[in-house]
């Protein structure tokens, strides 16, 4: 649907713009309303726009529950899963992209297959196993998963590394550089875009994951994602069954800020990652 | 040449270093059959080992964790689904055959699967259509595409927990945005999260994330050759005809792929119904949005029926696997990569 009518098209496009603006309004409204509602008085009447601004809902959001502790927990999980996972996936991706050995093709099919595996089918038996040997209520599982990397990111790195000219590598080989040296000195410095993509996507994934921490961790080790679900602590102290919706909205806003910042600053890397693989993040 | 992570200098007795890679292959051949000296063949074997070692070293983090925390739990979970494991009888589990699976196909799980399929049948085609139409809108030569794209795509980036909390506030009886909005037009408030409206509420919330596939569609649309539109226009095709006879046919592979991915995702919906119900992770949502994965999750973590829940998960896993095979079998129709046009 491409309009190619020279100057006359500005008039023809008025309905098009109207439609796009209308759709934008619909799509952005829930987020905008969550923000404006987070500034509402918790006792006052409800309106689409707050009559007066109450920033102290944000104070309530961080003081009515141990918000700070959950935040730290979130960062611990993200650090282990996203930090280590990104590096580890790069290693494995390099192996699949550039090194040769028998069984490589079959192993790569296994990597691709695990991409389609619903995580929960392995996580629940892992949970049973870990709780039996006493590894639950620690962050060790995230360390292990981090070391193991992520099939999707391994795939992304492999695709990216395969695009790096072989000549660079051969020159380094002739100079006596080992595979590890080539990986560290040639591939990693060239890989900023893909490191950013995988870093952002895995930050999003581990920041948003609520179910795994629920399984493997005790309540005070939970990250924000898990702790905010059904948090009955955001309610009137005298009437615990009355939820303080503006405070819940304030907490939700605080929870999504890192994701929003990451999205706005890293948008082009996300687009790159999503488009080159044809998969949703 | 061949290399190892140890570098070249530490391999003084390496045959390959002398003969080069091709030479060493030849040597392997002659020595394996003539069996001249054992020491020589051992050297060759070691050299082959060293040649291939870097690959295995590089992939070892993934391989080890995949075996230990992927394959073994997967198979062990399959085994447990044939036992009576309930979370406490770890050392005395008994094989009970197909009985968990029989129960999955007889009991409430099938009702939950029916509801899940119903929601999927409405949610996925609608979501795909909306996502695709948004992409088509943005593929016209409008100004400010980057902004609209961000707005449409953003909901897909929101963590499910945040989306769920936002929408449960939007649907709230008291002070919810939607009822407030209805009252402006003099309409009576709706109990959005009650029996009648909960599935609609869930689907509306899911549709908010329809922009998730936008980027893929946009990339696909940019790949449609401009010349096709031009020749269609010369032949007198209206914009609508161009859309249905040029754009849609060329995009069907991408649409189909996203449709299947959407179905796979929709069958596994778990968090959303629980969160909009306002309970904790072990509180059952009301019946109309008590979906299949919610059932499996609660069977395990609320009722302690581990083996039954695992059987439920395996049934779903097989369904997802079959759908995935459909995608792979047809992948040659949808794989055409287009450079991200910015």
């Amino acid at each position: 649907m491409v309009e190619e009518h020279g100057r006359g098209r500005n008039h023809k496009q008025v309905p098009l713009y109207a439609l796009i603006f209308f759709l934008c309004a619909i799509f952005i409204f829930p987020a905008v309303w969550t923000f404006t509602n987070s500034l509402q008085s918790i006792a006052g009447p409800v309106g689409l726009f707050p009559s007066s601004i109450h920033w102290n809902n944000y104070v309530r959001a961080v003081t009515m529950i141990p918000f700070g502790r959950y935040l730290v927990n979130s960062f611990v999980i993200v650090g282990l899963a996203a930090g280590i996972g990104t590096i580890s996936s790069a290693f494995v991706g390099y192996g699949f992209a550039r090194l040769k050995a028998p069984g490589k093709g079959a192993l790569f099919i296994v990597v691709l297959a695990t991409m389609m595996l619903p995580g929960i089918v392995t996580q629940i038996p892992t949970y049973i196993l870990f709780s039996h040997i006493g590894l639950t209520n620690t962050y060790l599982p995230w360390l292990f998963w981090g070391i193991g990397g992520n099939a999707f990111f391994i795939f992304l790195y492999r695709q990216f590394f395969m695009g790096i000219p072989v000549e660079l590598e051969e020159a380094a080989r002739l100079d006596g550089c080992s595979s590890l040296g080539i990986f560290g000195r040639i591939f990693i410095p060239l890989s900023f875009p893909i490191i950013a993509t995988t870093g952002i996507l895995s930050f999003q994934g581990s920041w948003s994951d609520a179910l795994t921490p629920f399984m493997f961790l005790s309540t005070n080790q939970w990250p924000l994602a898990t702790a905010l679900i059904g948090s009955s602590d955001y309610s009137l102290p005298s009437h615990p069954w009355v939820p303080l919706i503006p405070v819940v909205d304030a907490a939700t806003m605080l929870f999504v800020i890192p994701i929003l910042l990451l999205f706005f600053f890293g948008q082009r890397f996300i687009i790159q990652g999503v488009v080159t693989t044809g998969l949703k993040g | 040449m061949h290399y190892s992570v140890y570098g070249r200098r530490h391999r003084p007795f390496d045959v390959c270093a002398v003969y080069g890679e091709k030479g060493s292959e030849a040597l392997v051949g002659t020595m394996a059959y003539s069996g001249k000296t054992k020491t020589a063949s051992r050297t060759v074997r070691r050299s082959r080992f060293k040649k291939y070692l870097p690959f295995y070293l590089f992939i070892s983090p993934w391989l080890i964790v995949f075996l230990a925390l992927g394959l073994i739990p997967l198979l062990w979970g399959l085994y447990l689904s044939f036992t009576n494991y309930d979370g406490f009888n770890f050392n005395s589990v008994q094989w009970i055959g197909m009985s968990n699976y029989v129960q999955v196909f007889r009991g409430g799980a099938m009702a939950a699967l029916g509801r899940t399929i119903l929601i999927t049948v409405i949610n996925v085609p609608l979501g795909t259509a909306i996502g695709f139409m948004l992409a088509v809108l943005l593929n016209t030569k409008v100004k400010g595409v980057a902004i609209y794209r961000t707005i449409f795509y953003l909901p897909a980036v929101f963590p499910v927990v945040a989306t769920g909390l936002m929408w449960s506030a939007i649907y709230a009886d008291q002070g919810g945005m939607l009822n407030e909005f209805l009252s402006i037009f003099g309409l009576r408030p709706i109990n959005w999260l009650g029996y009648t409206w909960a599935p609609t509420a869930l689907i509306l919330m899911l549709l908010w994330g329809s922009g998730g596939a936008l980027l893929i569609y946009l990339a696909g649309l940019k790949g449609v050759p401009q010349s096709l539109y031009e020749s269609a226009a010369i032949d007198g095709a209206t914009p609508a005809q161009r859309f249905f006879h040029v754009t849609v046919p060329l995009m069907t592979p991408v649409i189909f792929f996203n449709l299947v991915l959407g179905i796979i995702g929709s069958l596994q919906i778990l968090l959303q119904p629980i969160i909009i119900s306002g309970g904790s992770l072990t509180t059952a949502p009301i019946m109309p949005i008590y979906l299949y994965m919610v059932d499996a999750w609660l069977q395990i973590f609320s009722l302690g029926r581990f083996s039954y829940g695992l059987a439920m998960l395996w049934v779903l896993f097989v369904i997802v696997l079959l759908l995935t095979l459909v995608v792979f079998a047809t992948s040659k129709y949808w794989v055409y990569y287009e450079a991200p046009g910015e």
Side-chain angles (χ1 to χ4, degrees):
Chain A
M1 296 260 290
V2 179
E3 297 291 334
E4 304 240 34
H5 293 296
R7 303 210 166 179
R9 83 166 191 242
N10 286 340
H11 294 291
K12 284 192 174 173
Q13 281 192 326
V14 171
L16 183 64
Y17 275 106
L19 182 60
I20 289 177
F21 287 155
F22 174 69
L23 288 169
C24 279
I26 290 178
F27 270 81
I28 207 166
F29 198 60
V32 171
W33 187 80
T34 305
F35 177 64
T36 54
N37 200 46
S38 73
L39 300 173
Q40 293 270 17
S41 155
I42 50 170
V46 185
L48 293 183
F49 297 98
S51 44
S52 55
I53 289 176
H54 296 265
W55 287 106
N56 60 354
N57 287 334
Y58 285 84
V59 179
R60 289 194 186 97
V62 296
T63 51
M64 289 178 81
I65 65 167
F67 195 92
R69 190 211 296 154
Y70 295 139
L71 184 69
V72 171
N73 297 343
S74 280
F75 279 113
V76 170
I77 286 177
V78 168
L80 290 171
I84 297 175
T86 304
I87 302 164
S88 190
S89 303
F91 259 90
V92 180
Y94 173 79
F96 279 113
R98 279 298 212 261
L99 301 173
K100 289 192 186 100
K104 182 172 122 172
L107 284 169
F108 192 65
I109 289 173
V110 175
V111 172
L112 292 180
T114 56
M115 256 161 76
M116 292 298 171
L117 187 71
I120 200 160
V121 180
T122 57
Q123 270 176 356
I124 286 173
T126 307
Y127 158 73
I128 297 169
L129 205 66
F130 277 18
S131 68
H132 189 67
I133 56 178
L135 277 178
T136 45
N137 302 336
T138 71
Y139 293 103
L140 278 175
W142 280 268
L143 178 68
F144 298 148
W145 290 320
I147 291 170
N150 170 303
F152 176 56
F153 299 152
I154 291 170
F155 175 70
L156 277 182
Y157 274 112
R158 174 185 174 265
Q159 299 302 94
F160 186 85
F161 288 153
M162 282 171 73
I164 291 178
V166 189
E167 289 78 16
L168 283 174
E169 201 178 342
E170 279 169 353
R173 294 267 190 229
L174 289 176
D175 292 342
C177 202
S178 67
S179 291
L180 195 63
I182 287 171
F183 173 71
R185 289 188 200 151
I186 297 176
F187 280 73
I188 289 299
L190 287 172
S191 308
F192 177 72
I194 196 71
I195 294 172
T197 303
T198 52
I200 290 168
L201 291 179
S202 64
F203 187 106
Q204 279 180 352
S206 46
W207 183 263
S208 312
D209 183 19
L211 294 176
T212 322
F214 177 82
M215 282 188 248
F216 286 85
L217 297 173
S218 62
T219 316
N220 60 353
Q221 292 171 315
W222 281 354
L224 277 173
T226 313
L228 287 180
I229 295 176
S231 179
S232 53
D233 298 326
Y234 289 134
S235 53
L236 274 182
S238 53
H239 305 279
W241 58 90
V242 180
L244 299 174
I245 291 178
V247 181
V248 175
D249 279 334
T252 310
M253 289 307 296
L254 292 175
F255 172 58
V256 296
I257 283 174
I259 295 289
L260 291 182
L261 287 178
L262 212 61
F263 179 74
F264 286 118
F265 289 112
Q267 201 179 5
R268 71 190 175 97
F269 298 114
I270 297 176
I271 292 173
Q272 214 164 33
V274 169
V275 171
T276 46
T277 55
L279 287 171
K280 285 184 238 185
Chain B
M1 294 301 292
H2 62 286
Y3 315 90
S4 76
V5 285
Y6 305 118
R8 290 174 65 186
R9 261 175 246 154
H10 305 287
R11 298 186 281 105
F13 302 111
D14 199 333
V15 182
C16 303
V18 183
Y19 289 97
E21 201 166 340
K22 292 240 169 67
S24 80
E25 295 291 346
L27 265 176
V28 172
T30 49
M31 282 198 283
Y33 290 105
S34 62
K36 266 184 196 162
T37 57
K38 276 194 170 174
T39 45
S41 84
R42 199 179 297 142
T43 316
V44 171
R45 212 177 297 137
R46 202 199 305 145
S47 81
R48 284 189 74 168
F49 174 73
K50 278 193 171 176
K51 182 176 161 192
Y52 297 132
L53 187 65
F55 171 76
Y56 294 110
L57 283 178
F58 267 91
I59 70 153
S60 61
W62 167 76
L63 192 61
I64 292 165
V65 175
F66 166 69
L67 292 176
L69 299 182
L71 193 63
I72 291 172
L74 186 76
L75 297 177
W76 194 57
L78 181 63
Y79 161 73
L80 283 180
S81 73
F82 290 99
T83 68
N84 62 351
Y85 181 64
D86 61 5
F88 295 102
N89 55 351
F90 191 91
N91 294 317
S92 60
V93 283
Q94 280 172 346
W95 181 269
I96 56 167
M98 296 295 289
S99 120
N100 284 323
Y101 287 90
V102 170
Q103 225 180 330
V104 170
F105 285 102
R106 278 202 192 140
M110 282 301 114
L113 185 62
R115 288 188 289 270
T116 311
I117 290 172
L118 188 67
I119 288 203
T120 301
V121 163
I122 301 167
N123 162 44
V124 175
L126 264 180
T128 310
I130 293 173
F132 184 62
M133 291 315 292
L134 291 177
V136 170
L137 274 180
L138 295 192
N139 198 43
T140 53
K141 287 183 176 157
V142 287
K143 290 198 178 72
V145 171
I147 299 166
Y148 315 135
R149 190 182 57 196
T150 305
I151 290 173
F152 293 145
Y153 186 68
L154 203 57
V157 184
F158 268 59
V160 173
V161 175
T163 311
L165 290 172
M166 284 166 64
W167 282 82
S168 57
I170 286 167
Y171 289 136
D173 263 352
Q174 307 270 309
M177 182 264 276
L178 221 46
N179 281 342
E180 210 58 39
F181 197 68
L182 291 177
S183 72
I184 294 175
F185 300 101
L187 296 168
R188 282 212 259 132
I190 287 171
N191 182 11
W192 287 101
L193 299 173
Y195 269 75
T196 324
W197 285 91
T200 313
L202 177 65
I203 288 170
L204 276 179
M205 184 180 100
L206 293 170
L207 288 180
W208 188 52
S210 303
L214 183 72
L215 302 176
I216 300 163
Y217 290 136
L218 271 176
L221 287 171
K222 289 217 174 81
V224 177
Q226 203 61 44
S227 56
L228 285 180
Y229 290 116
E230 280 158 14
S231 50
I234 290 168
D235 290 345
T238 62
Q241 283 174 324
R242 274 181 270 162
F243 175 70
F244 284 109
H245 295 288
V246 179
T247 312
V248 171
L250 281 172
M251 290 293 289
T252 34
V254 184
I255 296 171
F256 174 70
F257 176 59
N258 274 293
L259 213 55
V260 179
L261 276 190
I263 294 168
I264 291 172
S266 187
L267 291 177
Q268 297 180 59
I269 289 175
L270 163 54
L271 260 178
Q272 291 92 332
I274 293 180
I275 298 172
I276 57 169
S277 302
S280 73
L281 275 170
T282 48
T283 322
I286 57 168
M287 192 59 88
I289 52 170
Y290 188 83
L291 304 184
Y292 189 85
M293 277 294 272
V294 178
D295 192 14
W297 171 266
L298 291 172
Q299 292 292 342
I300 293 173
F301 288 101
S302 184
L303 304 173
R305 297 174 72 189
F306 279 82
S307 55
Y308 175 67
L310 281 167
M312 283 188 74
L313 289 176
W314 267 89
V315 169
L316 189 73
F317 177 42
V318 169
I319 296 173
V320 168
L321 205 66
L322 290 176
L323 283 170
T324 310
L325 285 178
V326 171
V327 179
F328 271 103
T330 58
S331 65
K332 60 174 183 233
Y333 300 111
W334 51 263
V335 177
Y336 52 86
Y337 289 95
E338 198 59 39
E342 273 302 289

